[in-house]
Structures are given as structure tokens and as C-alpha cells.
Amino acid sequence: MDIILCHTTADFDTLGAAVGLSRLLPGSRIVLAGGAHPTVRDFLALHRDEYALVERRSVNPQQITGLHVVDTQWRSRLGKTADWLDLPQVEIRVYDHHGGGDRPASSDIAASHRWVEAVGAATTLIVEQLQSQSIALNPIESTVMALGIHVDTGSLTFDHSTARDAAALAWLMAQGATVAMVAEYVNPSFSQPLQALLTQALDRLHSETYHNHSIAWVTLDLPEFLPGLSNLTAQLRELTDSSALLLGVTYPAKGEGRRGVVIGRSAIEGTDLGHLFQTWGGGGHGKAASLTLREPDLPLVLTQLRQGLIAQIPDPLSARELMSSPVRTIRPSTSITEAQRILLRYGHSGLSVVNKAGELVGIISRRDLDLALHHGFGHAPVKGYMTLNPKTITPDTSLPAIENLMVTYDIGRLPVLQGDDRHPDRRQLVGIVTRTDVLRQRHRQDFPTPDETQPPQPACPWPTDPQGLLRSRLLPQLWDLLQTAAAAAHRRGWHLYLVGGGVRDLLLSQLLAPETQSHSPKPLILQDIDLVVDGFHEALTEAAGVELARELQQVYPQARLDIHGQFQTAALLWHHDPVLGSLWLDIATARTEFYPYPAANPEVEASSIQQDLYRRDFSINALALRLTAPRSGLLLDFFGGLLDLQARQVRVLHANSFIEDPTRIYRAVRFAVRLNFSIEAQTISYIRYALQSGVYDRTQGENPIAPALQTRLRSELQLILGAAYWKPALQLLGHLQALGCLHSSLTLTPPLWDQVRRVDHYLRWLHRSSGTDPASPLTPTATASPLYPWLLRLETLLAALAPPWRRSVAAKLQLPAESLDRLGNLATALETLPAQLDHCQRPSQIYSALQPYDVATLVLVAVQSAIPLRRKIWHYLSQWLMVKPPLNGHDLQQLGYRPGPQFKVILDRLLGSDLDGELGNGESGPVSETARKDRAIAFVRHHFPHRP
């Protein structure tokens, strides 16, 4: 018999989970370990007979074959039924939501199977299993399960609630859960004794403030135990507007002296009451917990719990951590028109105005500038329109204080001023905090939950400790390298971030291989790592990244240091290093960028990490993980990248992104195909608009230097056409009409697609015959130039252009000189070769006609030609090109011939006869090499009897 155990003082979550589990285990029985919350007790008074409930005393332990514990992992919460856990031959399973995620809760139940995941209610886990098995519920069952989720998630308002809980509730509603009954039991009315106790508690309440959080506590002595104390605690916290509240109650126990109960509620981010209460044998959630004591010293217990709670409260964020630095400033004499141009360039909503000494004298907003321009004062200086004596803050101003200033004075931005040690009477502008910075911090969700419209996930994929995940997934040597870099940055007072693809791939590895599937995942191989240095509280020059790279090279002298002058970034490169393998570590200063015209290289300036992420291409690449203290391990996601990773989609950050940089179209396709993602619908519309706008043609007409349509575009084409996934990527580029970036007339038509596939057919044959990697260069013959698969595919695409454009587009992409010549002469080859080969029937004739052409040219001709011509070229490339004359110059000398020009005539004639099968290498059937050589000697002596 299967027994489902609910913990003592059963709440709706343990009951709801048990009821759902009873449907998964036909014939099972539910046992309440001891007592129930008043509302649960009242609910069961009416509905007990609807569920598979039995009394503990009616269970024969010898008949138990399986124990299923719901909503707890502690024996102490199972009362006397905990003795059943020691029965032999009993399989034990645990279903719980406390301590899920990266930090599992400790447990003293030796279970054979555990389902412990970071969701808002244990009932949610059971609902997902019911859904997966397509088990329907009746209204009575679905109602009690809905109550379990509502009560344990505060109707989805507690911060441990997830979208999985919401999806579970939606399914239960569809199964017939009664809303009226849920409302009745979720918000029960206070009994008369509880109302009197509430008044007494309000009179005795104590409170203190720590970091702007109000912490309240109260102790009460009762003549007897009174049910409903958890509801009383929640009501007390709401009435007093406390951030956290501890309620301690003592009451006489029959024959056991006095007992005490402590109940806690907290709304303070970063606190974990469940973990705190475990020290005293209690437990619960991060925001709600309780414990029971015998002969308690309540004042002492509450004091220690209060001190432990205060220790958990993180230091509040300050302006130093929120602000952007350096600040874009202008002088009072700057004209309105120029100020407007600067706003447009950097995307700001306001500018700080400073005097010659760098002291703040005012602020001007976009609204101020718009009004001045509207009235025709574009020529006027900003000093006549700026706000004087603006409100300011210091680097140490806390986030709550910043919020109060913004709300009180309706301010959208607050300059951050810091004293100058050399001039104590002066305060320098070191940063600015905007309303966006504050809102982003208030509403930041580090770890998104699955979309409610998607099927439930088997486990919460997002780590609660990203840095711990990084350390566990990286090779120890690579982790040490990152820590060395972080320590060097920290000594300089900088922050260091891992950004871009490294963070993306780390989180993707967690999404694709959740903890429930693999306890020992393979190390994450990162061969290209991007680090960004942020000045944090002081402005940096672009050379900061270079400075950090130079120090790292002192520690790792085997690495080569490359400095990219224009952008002042540095890269450390390891090539086949015995410890780090092949690694590219790029280090740059946080920067912002501006494109002077579409497809240009961007102009960059040192900036903040926020601006650095804002300049990136897609949300999934605009993620950053802080490596330095304080708050090392902080995951920055300002643009919904985590949600897009979970939705498996590529989404661009800005509407004009593809107009500024067309290579981002190709990057979107590359990431989508490589990661098996889709491109978000709005992003596709931005791509199509950029391609149809004609901006690329205009740009190239007006600006001869357009790297995003030249060298950088070639680099993206090389990555795509040289990858194993080139076929779906090229098809997607064709579907988007993105080949128009090369030339407006180029489209991936069905005939062109067939031509590219024919090229691939030849390349695959050549790779098989040579035993080489599909992406590696090929050498068809010892004297032929290497064939690069990506380049031959690109030339095939360019060969589809009208003859006048082939060479010019290839030159724009800066392809090799031989590619330019090949494409420039292709029209002639396409015209002359068909006529030449039309009269060639013997292999030697075909060989003679094709031998002057390089292999790549013949491939380009073949894929555009009719089948008869294509067949002749194919035979030449696959068979006859590999044939060598059976004799060589040394053999002729042995026969008595004197070296000279006639050697070539003899060998060419000999090769032609061999190709035509006259020496037994063709139509006459294969013969041995010895016989073939003897025939060749006879052929030479017969046709060239006179020796020179």
C-alpha cells in the first residue's frame, strides 16, 4: 500500500499536493501527520470524504510498500508517522519545493527519489506530472490543489512565485476549480480570539530600522494554543507596514511545561527565513517560516533570530553602483542645436552642463531643447534654458534615498558629485543616475521563469548562483585565469565583467542540461572569452583594457599580446597551450559607440557597462556576469536576454541596428541556425525594412569606405559558408533576401541553389578521396592552388551576378587576387569552353582543352552548364586530372633520350594515349603497372624512334 504523508499542522499546499499525488498513485491513502491549520481543518470538515484520507491509527505499517512525503524533507515535521520511515523494504519518495535550485535544502529523510525544485508550491510539481500523464481532475480535487498554490504563493505575489505556478493554476481553473471557494479559504475572517490577540500584539509591538527596512517583533503569553497564528502574523506585518515581523507565542502544553511557537514573515529581498529558522529546528520558505520550541526563552530566541535576519540583509545599492560614468557634458556656451545633436548621437534624454573647472552648473533635458528649437532659438546657448542648482547626490547615496528624491521633485536624472581631495571646496561630477537606472533595478528579474504559454519545464533551468555555476562548469585553469584578471581589476578599483557569448553559452548549457538530468555535466569549453573593464566610480580611458592585459601577460608569459590600436582593446592568445589549449581572451574598456553613417566602422568612447551592453547586437549577447567584488556573480540583463534564451529566439536591441551595421543580419542568421533558435518576428521586420530601404546602395555610392559591407561582411560570410550548418544558414539568408547586401540584384533563386549544391557535391567527393576535414582547404593536385570551401561557395554566389559586377563585388569584399581574376575571366570561360568541348570526344582531347584552366574556374563553369558539358568537366576533375604519365623524365633518360623541350611533347603524347585507353588504363580494361609501363616504353619507341 502507498501512503502519502502530509506534514504536521497541515496547510493547503501539503494537502493539495497529497490529493493530486493520490491520483497519480491509484489505491494510495493520505495521512495527516498531526493537526492542521484552522482553515484546512474547516475545509476538511466539509470535504474530508471526497479525498483518500485515513487516520494514522488505521494504517497497518506492515502493509506499507511506499511512503510519499509531500512539502517537507524533515522527519521532525512528520510527527509519529516518522517512525514509518525506518520500516524495511519501503520505498521513500520526497516531493518538495523548499531549497530547490542551486542550493538544495538539507534533509534527514533517506529517500530513494526526490523531486525538489524551486517553485512556489509543492502542488505545482504534482500538477505538472498530472498534465504530463493527461490525468483529469474533478472540481473538488482541483479546488484544494488551487488553494495549495494560492496560499503558498500569496496568490502569486510572493517573490518565490514562478510562471510554472501560474501555469499550474491556469490548468486547475480549466479543470473546474471553484473560484468562490478559493476566495473563501484564502482570505478567512478572523475569529473573535484572534481579533483580541491582534489588538494586544499591536500594543506590545517593538520595531527597529536597518538599511531603511522596518523590522518588528512581539512576544505573547497565551493561556492555551490558539489556531490561526500564521494569519495573525501576516496581518500584523501588513497593518504595521513592516518589512519583516517575528511573532513569538508561548502556551502551556499538557504535562510538558510550556511550549513556544515563533512565526516569521519577511518582504526583504535577499533574506531567507527558512534557512534562518532551520538553526532552531524549524523551516519554511525564504519569506515565511516557523518553529516550535519546548520550554523556550522567547526573548533570547527572538533576539538571536532578529540578529540573524539583520545579518542577512544585504547592504543597499548606492549611487556608486547605479550610476553611469563618465558623464556626457557640455559647456554653458554650447548652442541648443549642438546640444540636440549630442543627445541624438548618444541617445541620452538630458545633458549635464559644467564650467571650465568641471564643476556642475546646470542640467538641460530633451524637453528643454525641444521647446527652444520650436521657438527658433537653435543658435542660443544652453545657459539660458538649463535648470540651475539641480538636485545632486554623492556616490554613497542609497537607492531608497535616490527614489525619494526622484519622486518628491519629479526628477529624471541626478548628477553624482564627489569631493576633490586637492580642492576640498570643489565637487567633481563623477556620474549620473537616471530614472531608468532606478526602474531597472527595482524591476530587475535575475532569473526568469518559463513562459506561461509553454509546456511546464521538468526543472527550473536558471541558476540562483551564476558565478558558482561558472566555476563548476569551467576547467579549473580557466577559472583561475578569470580570478587573476578579476583580482587585478579589483586592485585598481575597477569592475570586471564576463560578457557576451561566454555568459550566453553558460546559461544555455544550464537550460539544455538541467541539474535533474546530469549531476556531472561536461566542462564548458570556451575558446573565445570577452572581458569588459568598467570604471565603476571613476572615468577610464580606452587604454584600461590594454593595461589589464599587460599585467595578465606578466602572469601568463606564454600568451601572445595583440593590441588593436583604433579601439584600444587587447587580446591575449594561447595556441595549443598544454594547460589552456587554444584560447582568445579579449579585454576592452566599457564603451559606447556611434556610427557616423550606415555600414561605417563605429566611433567608440569609454563609457559604462550599461552603455557597453546597450551597443551590442542581440539581447542574448547583451548579458554580463560580474567577476569582481562587491556582488561578484551579479548577472546583468538589461534587455530581456534570459527570457529570449528561454524562448530560443534571436532578438535585436534597436530598430535601426541593421541599418547601422548590415553584418548583424548575417550574425542573426548565424546565431539562429547554430543555436537552433528562431529569429524574433519584429527583428525579421527590421531586417526586411533595412534591406528594402535602399540604404546600403546609397551608402556605397556616397562613402567608398563601408566596412560593414566590405571586409566585415566577408568575415561573416566566411564564418557562415565555412560552417557545418552552411546550408540552412544560406537558405535563411535567401529567404530574408539578405544576399542583397552583396549586390541588390543577388537573390538565392532555385537555379543558384542547385549550383551551390553541385559545388558541395564536388567538395564532398574531394574531401572523401583525400580524407580531409570538410572545412579544411583542399589541394586537388600537387601543383594546384588550395581550394577553400567557403570561398568556392561564395564565388559560386558571385558568379550568378551579371559579368560587370562579379569582379567589383569581389574586390569590395577584398577577396584574394586569384578570386578577382577568376570571376573577372569567368564570362570568357563560359563562352569559349562549350564551343571547345563540343568537338572533343576522346578523353585526351577534353584533357587538353581543360588543362589550361584552374580547378575552381572549371567548377564555376560546370555548375552553370548543361549536363553534357558538366559531365565532361566532372570526368576531368574526378578522374583524368589525377592521371599521371606512366613514364617520367628520368625514365626517358634511361631509354637514351637527351633532356630537352621534346620531353614535354613525348610525355604529353604519352599521357593522351594513356587517357584514351591505348596503354590499358581505360577502355581495354585495367592492367598491372609493370605491363602498363612496358606498353608505354613500346609506345615511345614506336612514335619517337629517333633519339635526340
Side-chain angles (χ1 to χ4, degrees), residues 275-483:
H275 182 69
L276 180 63
F277 277 46
Q278 280 183 12
T279 306
W280 298 86
H285 310 283
K287 305 307 179 192
S290 64
L291 60 87
T292 302
L293 301 167
R294 293 185 178 180
E295 298 294 342
D297 183 350
L298 269 189
L300 175 62
V301 173
L302 284 182
T303 297
Q304 295 185 3
L305 286 174
R306 193 170 74 253
Q307 291 172 348
L309 177 63
I310 289 174
Q312 287 184 343
I313 299 175
D315 292 335
L317 287 173
S318 65
R320 178 176 282 108
E321 294 162 292
L322 296 171
M323 70 186 188
S324 296
S325 178
V327 185
R328 202 72 51 201
T329 61
I330 57 175
R331 293 291 176 80
S333 58
T334 304
S335 71
I336 294 292
T337 300
E338 176 63 12
Q340 182 77 351
R341 188 193 67 79
I342 294 173
L343 278 187
L344 176 64
R345 173 167 181 158
Y346 295 105
H348 295 336
S349 59
L351 291 169
S352 297
V353 185
V354 298
N355 59 23
K356 292 181 180 180
E359 297 172 314
L360 182 73
V361 295
I363 280 185
I364 191 163
S365 68
R366 177 182 287 118
R367 182 168 50 189
D368 300 327
L369 295 173
D370 288 343
L371 286 173
L373 288 170
H374 175 72
H375 292 294
F377 291 102
H379 62 283
V382 296
K383 63 183 179 181
Y385 295 87
M386 67 185 185
T387 300
L388 301 174
N389 302 315
K391 296 293 180 183
T392 63
I393 54 178
T394 70
D396 296 322
T397 304
S398 68
L399 176 58
I402 293 171
E403 290 183 26
N404 289 336
L405 279 172
M406 287 185 170
V407 171
T408 302
Y409 297 100
D410 190 22
I411 299 173
R413 63 199 59 80
L414 286 167
V416 184
L417 303 183
Q418 186 173 42
D420 189 333
D421 293 337
R422 293 172 297 177
H423 304 283
D425 57 326
R426 295 181 184 175
R427 293 200 302 163
Q428 294 295 313
L429 179 65
V430 295
I432 193 161
V433 177
T434 67
R435 186 181 286 118
T436 302
D437 297 325
V438 172
L439 290 175
R440 184 183 290 132
Q441 190 61 45
R442 283 185 61 86
H443 300 288
R444 179 173 58 85
Q445 296 178 344
D446 288 343
F447 313 106
T449 49
D451 190 326
E452 295 176 27
T453 63
Q454 300 298 319
Q457 300 291 325
C460 182
W462 302 116
T464 55
D465 179 13
Q467 189 171 28
L469 175 65
L470 180 66
R471 182 172 188 173
S472 68
R473 295 302 308 276
L474 289 184
L475 294 172
Q477 301 90 336
L478 191 53
W479 171 256
D480 291 342
L481 169 62
L482 294 181
Q483 290 302 291

Side-chain angles (χ1 to χ4, degrees), residues 589-897:
T589 306
R591 52 191 173 163
T592 187
E593 64 185 26
F594 176 77
Y595 290 82
Y597 55 86
N601 274 335
E603 299 174 1
V604 300
E605 298 177 10
S607 187
S608 65
I609 185 63
Q610 292 95 329
Q611 289 294 318
D612 190 274
L613 296 177
Y614 184 74
R615 72 180 179 85
R616 296 177 182 268
D617 48 11
F618 309 111
S619 62
I620 59 173
N621 294 333
L623 298 163
L625 181 64
R626 188 186 293 179
L627 300 176
T628 47
R631 292 184 172 85
S632 58
L634 175 67
L635 186 63
L636 300 185
D637 175 22
F638 300 134
F639 310 105
L642 292 173
L643 291 173
D644 287 330
L645 280 178
Q646 194 154 40
R648 305 186 67 81
Q649 68 179 8
V650 176
R651 180 172 58 84
V652 75
L653 293 186
H654 323 295
N656 292 322
S657 184
F658 301 116
I659 290 177
E660 291 180 336
D661 188 352
T663 62
R664 287 173 175 168
I665 299 174
Y666 286 71
R667 286 170 59 81
V669 168
R670 179 159 59 87
F671 285 124
V673 176
R674 180 165 72 87
L675 300 175
N676 195 25
F677 279 24
S678 63
I679 301 179
E680 183 245 0
Q682 184 68 63
T683 299
I684 289 178
S685 69
Y686 291 148
I687 291 174
R688 295 194 187 281
Y689 176 79
L691 291 167
Q692 295 167 7
S693 67
V695 66
Y696 304 143
D697 288 338
R698 292 196 303 273
T699 292
Q700 293 183 90
E702 299 169 358
N703 303 283
I705 300 178
L709 291 168
Q710 297 168 349
T711 53
R712 284 170 39 217
L713 181 57
R714 182 203 62 208
S715 298
E716 282 300 321
L717 285 164
Q718 181 175 352
L719 289 172
I720 290 175
L721 296 176
Y725 51 80
W726 72 267
K727 286 184 180 179
L730 183 56
Q731 287 180 312
L732 183 52
L733 286 171
H735 174 71
L736 294 171
Q737 301 292 311
L739 295 181
C741 290
L742 300 173
H743 191 273
S744 57
S745 67
L746 186 59
T747 58
L748 189 65
T749 61
L752 179 55
W753 176 244
D754 288 340
Q755 293 172 21
V756 180
R757 291 177 61 194
R758 290 177 196 136
V759 170
D760 187 56
H761 176 69
Y762 171 66
L763 290 172
R764 282 189 285 114
W765 174 84
L766 201 54
H767 279 299
R768 285 197 303 270
S769 62
S770 62
T772 55
D773 180 81
S776 62
L778 291 160
T779 306
T781 65
T783 58
S785 299
L787 285 178
Y788 294 91
W790 75 269
L791 185 57
L792 190 55
R793 291 172 186 134
L794 178 55
E795 289 183 26
T796 305
L797 296 174
L798 298 183
L801 293 170
W805 295 112
R806 293 168 183 162
R807 184 184 179 96
S808 63
V809 173
K812 178 186 70 175
L813 296 173
Q814 297 187 18
L815 297 188
E818 58 185 19
S819 294
L820 303 185
D821 294 339
R822 188 159 43 243
L823 290 167
N825 298 326
L826 182 60
T828 302
L830 285 167
E831 182 179 350
T832 58
L833 269 178
Q836 287 180 276
L837 292 179
D838 190 47
H839 303 290
C840 299
Q841 299 303 323
R842 297 173 66 85
S844 59
Q845 295 173 322
I846 297 172
Y847 185 95
S848 296
L850 298 181
Q851 195 272 336
Y853 294 92
D854 66 277
V855 172
T857 295
L858 293 177
V859 172
L860 296 179
V861 171
V863 298
Q864 292 197 34
S865 302
I867 292 177
L869 179 61
R870 190 160 68 239
R871 185 177 293 121
K872 290 179 179 180
I873 296 177
W874 173 249
H875 281 309
Y876 169 79
L877 293 174
S878 62
Q879 299 177 28
W880 305 328
L881 181 61
M882 311 299 175
V883 176
K884 296 180 180 179
L887 301 178
N888 54 34
H890 178 72
D891 295 325
L892 294 181
Q893 284 183 294
Q894 293 294 318
L895 294 174
Y897 290 88

Side-chain angles (χ1 to χ4, degrees), residues 532-552:
V532 169
V533 179
D534 183 20
F536 183 32
H537 63 281
E538 62 183 30
L540 296 181
T541 67
E542 290 86 346
V546 176
E547 180 182 338
L548 187 61
R550 290 190 189 280
E551 178 168 338
L552 281 179

Side-chain angles (χ1 to χ4, degrees), residues 91-112:
E91 185 178 32
I92 302 173
R93 301 189 176 202
V94 170
Y95 304 80
D96 194 19
H97 67 117
H98 302 102
D102 290 349
R103 194 197 71 191
S106 54
S107 173
D108 59 1
I109 297 177
S112 57

